[in-house]
């Protein structure tokens, strides 16, 4: 293995480490605001930022990169907590749509405030230009990995 191969291996290991650490921090913030997982935070944020304020569960699962089964359970718990409502899509009765309630919108704002201060601490070692470059590189990596995954999937899956 050459130096670049070793460096790539180290980058992947560091991404996993950073992901685990960020998940711990995010889970702590989510729990402080009454959620049971960081994925619930992602669902609330995704719904808040959606153009129409609502998405299908399929769209949510694709956006957050979780299975439909996991999405269904997380949405059910958010609905039981009063943060979202769901309904069958009148245009496609096989699809379920979701949107935030007023309670869900308030949780989003509370989470955003906590998340901003946590992010400032987490990225304090980078200047603005380094932060922009890092964001661009990660975006490119995620996009490339999504393309590779899509290319590896069978057409009928």
């Amino acid at each position: 293995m050459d130096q670049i191969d070793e460096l790539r291996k180290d980058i992947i290991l560091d991404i996993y480490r950073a992901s685990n650490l960020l998940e711990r921090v995010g889970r702590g913030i989510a729990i402080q605001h009454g959620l049971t997982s960081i994925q619930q935070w992602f669902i609330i944020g995704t719904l808040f930022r959606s153009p129409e304020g609502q998405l299908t569960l399929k769209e949510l699962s694709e956006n957050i990169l979780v299975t439909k089964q996991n999405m269904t359970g997380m949405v059910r718990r958010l609905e039981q907590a009063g943060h979202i409502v769901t309904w069958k899509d009148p245009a496609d009765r096989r699809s379920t749509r979701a949107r935030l309630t007023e309670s869900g919108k308030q949780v989003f704002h509370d989470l955003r405030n906590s998340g901003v201060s946590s992010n400032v601490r987490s990225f304090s070692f980078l200047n603005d230009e380094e932060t922009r470059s890092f964001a661009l590189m990660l975006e490119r990596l995620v996009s490339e990995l999504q393309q590779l995954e899509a290319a590896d999937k069978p057409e009928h899956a």
Side-chain angles (χ1 to χ4, degrees), residues 74-117:
M74 288 184 286
V75 164
R76 186 177 56 249
R77 287 186 288 282
L78 285 169
E79 191 167 28
Q80 290 169 346
H83 300 315
I84 66 170
V85 293
T86 63
W87 67 96
K88 289 290 181 192
D89 187 333
D92 180 359
R93 303 293 291 163
R94 295 170 298 170
S95 292
T96 300
R97 300 191 77 74
R99 72 167 170 78
L100 292 178
T101 62
E102 288 306 313
S103 169
K105 291 174 186 176
Q106 184 59 54
V107 168
F108 172 79
H109 290 296
D110 295 343
L111 287 164
R112 182 171 53 186
N113 291 337
S114 296
V116 166
S117 89

Side-chain angles (χ1 to χ4, degrees), residues 137-153:
M137 285 186 275
L138 280 176
E139 184 179 313
R140 287 173 53 198
L141 176 62
V142 169
S143 177
E144 182 65 21
L145 291 172
Q146 287 175 322
Q147 289 176 20
L148 289 172
E149 181 185 46
D152 287 344
K153 282 185 181 178

Side-chain angles (χ1 to χ4, degrees), residues 26 54 57 67 122 147 149-150:
Q54 59 179 271
L57 298 193
T67 65
S122 296
Q147 289 176 20
E149 181 185 46

Side-chain angles (χ1 to χ4, degrees), residues 27 29 36-37 48-49 56 70 93 96 105 119 123 125 135-136 148 151 157:
R27 184 177 347 110
I29 293 170
T36 59
S37 71
F48 187 86
R49 288 184 288 278
T56 65
N70 285 341
R93 303 293 291 163
T96 300
K105 291 174 186 176
N119 290 345
F123 290 93
F125 69 99
L136 181 60
L148 289 172

